[in-house]
Every structure is written in C-alpha cells, then in structure tokens.
Amino acid sequence: MGYREIPLRDDFTLDVDAFAEAEENVVIANPNAPTGLCVGVDDVRRIAQAQPGRLVVVDEAYVDYGNRSCACLLGECPNLVVVQTMSKSRNLAGAHVGYALASAEVVSDLNDAKSSFDPFNLSAPTMAIGVAAMGDTDYLQECCDRVIAERERVTDGLRARGFELTDSHTNFVFARRDGLDAKAWNAGLRERGVLARHFDAPRTRDWLRVTIGTRDEMDAFLAATDGVLAELGL
C-alpha cells in the first residue's frame, strides 16, 4: 500500500494546514510518539471536515495521560475513526487489546474487513479481561495520575539540569541538552542499568525518549544521568 509522510514542523508540532489539504486518508498519532506532543480537538475537527470524502484515523494510544479524546467529534465527523489501546494506561500490553470508535457505517465496513481474514482475532478470556479493564475506571485514574505526577517531577528535574523537553502528554519524556550527544547519553545510561530509547534520525538524533516508571526507577534514571554528565564534564 502506497503512502506519503507529512513532516512535522520544526518544533515537532503537527502541520494542520497540510493535513487539512491532503486528499488521501490520513492517520494521526495523537499524542505523538516520540515527541509526546498533541493536537487539539478543534484542529482535528478542521482536518476531518476539510475533506469529508476521506477517512481521518486518530491513534490515541496515549490519550489518557493528559489529552482530550477526539471521540467527542464522532457525532459531527462521520469520516473520523478514533483508535485506542489497552496496552498503555490500562497496563494490558500482553493482552493485545485495542478498539476503534467510528460511525455505524465505518464500523460495519471494519467488521466486514476483519471477517474476511480473521474473525476470531480475540479469545473469550482476552475479551473478558478487556471488558473488566474498561469497567475499572478508578484503577485507570490512579495509574494515570501517578504517571503524570512522576512525569512532571522528572521534567522539572531534567530542566534543572539544563535539559530541553517537549510538553509531553504521554507516559514518557522527550529530552535533549546542548553539548550532550544523545547517543552517548543513552550508552551511559545503559552502562548504569537504565534503558531509554534513542532515534538515530536527522531530526531526532539529539533527543532521547525516556519512559516514566516508578519513583525509585526515575530516581535511578536521574542519578544515572548525573553520572553521565559528570563523566563527560558537563
């Protein structure tokens, strides 16, 4: 299947004008990975309504960490499809459960497509786990609140150490520091038992993505970062 990419702006924000003008079906990760940035509901509405003859798919894998879901637009944007997963905020990565929210017509088409190649993609136990997880909203909120609070603490800690970070709405931070080679930072963390993610591409090679864990884990990350900075004389 052919596709084309619409680059993010220099500040990693979504080019809303370019997406609104595109005549093809479009897919938007909102919030984005690895930048952690999100686009607002009004901008998604504009993109969807600009070309009503094409589908606009919004991937909301990280939506529970501080962003507003675009599911509120389904009543006015019949070409909108919102997809979510239970692998992140609901802690069910091993279950591989996800779902789509869309108009009845689009859902019918999706079911027809699914039935044509794999009508039994979820087992009965997996579906039962998913239903139970959807009902446990208190646990979901507790987990998200904990991650958001720790994300803000780590963000403050890195900024105090001279790092620049994006305004993350996810369960990770995306950070860089002048004079610090991100690949060397990543290697230094690994030597100290901390795993992060480096994307060695032209626009992201100066940045590191760090997933938010427990307070103890993030203290270990900050301490390891201090060790790397000291070792490099920064």
Side-chain angles (χ1 to χ4, degrees), residues 154 156-163 177 219 222-223 225-226 229:
V154 171
D156 291 343
L158 287 174
R159 284 179 174 154
R161 291 165 169 82
F163 284 83
R177 188 180 191 274
D219 282 343
L222 291 172
T225 295
D226 288 339
L229 294 176

Side-chain angles (χ1 to χ4, degrees), residues 8-22:
L8 298 175
R9 297 191 183 100
D10 290 342
D11 61 357
F12 293 138
T13 57
L14 192 79
D15 189 340
V16 176
D17 290 338
F19 274 88
E21 294 168 1

Side-chain angles (χ1 to χ4, degrees), residues 92-154:
L92 290 175
H96 300 288
V97 179
Y99 54 93
L101 305 170
S103 68
E105 181 180 0
V106 172
V107 169
S108 177
D109 289 342
L110 290 174
N111 281 329
D112 288 344
K114 183 188 75 168
S115 297
S116 69
F117 65 90
D118 187 7
F120 308 111
N121 56 319
L122 289 178
S123 67
T126 299
M127 287 189 284
I129 291 170
V131 170
M134 289 295 289
D136 197 350
T137 55
D138 290 342
Y139 177 70
L140 170 66
Q141 193 62 54
E142 177 187 343
C143 291
C144 291
D145 288 346
R146 188 184 308 123
V147 169
I148 291 170
E150 191 61 24
R151 182 187 70 206
E152 297 310 305
R153 187 181 77 90
V154 171

